[in-house]
Amino acid sequence: TLKGHGEKIRCISYFPDGQRMISGSWDRTTRQWDLKAGKEIEGARGHSRNIYSIDISVSNTLLATSGSFQKTARIWNLETGKLVAGPFKSIGNVTAVRFSPDGKKL
């Protein structure tokens, strides 16, 4: 059992190596996990409302997140933890995010 989120986990995305994953929660945060050690390896970054969907870029360097009821999507640098793009605003709820196969579009 991985402990860290304060609310239910809404989404999970695995890295291709199968050693790590990122979870998104209704506690408004994402967390990166080392699956072998069973521990959190990166602290939380978040939205002002629930995280609804996440996706890791093909380069494994970017994380896209959506805050559904916040009506936004954001892109984070996985190495620095900093926001690199967004928030991208929508007129409706953003319930899914996905990078294009080449990682150049969200």
Side-chain angles (χ1 to χ4, degrees):
T1 302
L2 301 174
K3 298 184 186 230
H5 285 293
E7 295 285 336
K8 64 182 167 181
I9 293 171
R10 177 67 179 96
C11 47
I12 293 173
S13 188
Y14 290 89
F15 285 84
D17 64 12
Q19 307 286 325
R20 298 171 292 151
M21 74 172 197
I22 295 181
S23 55
S25 171
W26 283 20
D27 68 3
R28 304 175 180 155
T29 67
T30 61
R31 297 174 188 269
Q32 188 174 156
W33 304 92
D34 178 321
L35 296 175
K36 276 190 159 183
K39 295 185 179 191
E40 183 178 343
I41 57 175
E42 183 180 316
R45 67 173 66 82
H47 283 252
S48 61
R49 306 262 323 251
N50 302 353
I51 302 284
Y52 211 84
S53 177
I54 58 176
D55 192 35
I56 299 168
S57 68
V58 68
S59 64
N60 296 323
T61 59
L62 300 173
L63 174 70
T65 62
S66 76
S68 172
F69 306 118
Q70 187 181 2
K71 301 178 181 176
T72 63
R74 299 170 192 218
I75 300 175
W76 307 84
N77 181 307
L78 284 170
E79 293 176 13
T80 66
K82 294 185 179 185
L83 183 67
V84 295
F88 303 107
K89 297 183 181 186
S90 172
I91 59 171
N93 293 343
V94 181
T95 58
V97 289
R98 184 84 174 160
F99 282 103
S100 61
D102 65 5
K104 295 182 179 179
K105 297 178 186 170
L106 182 63

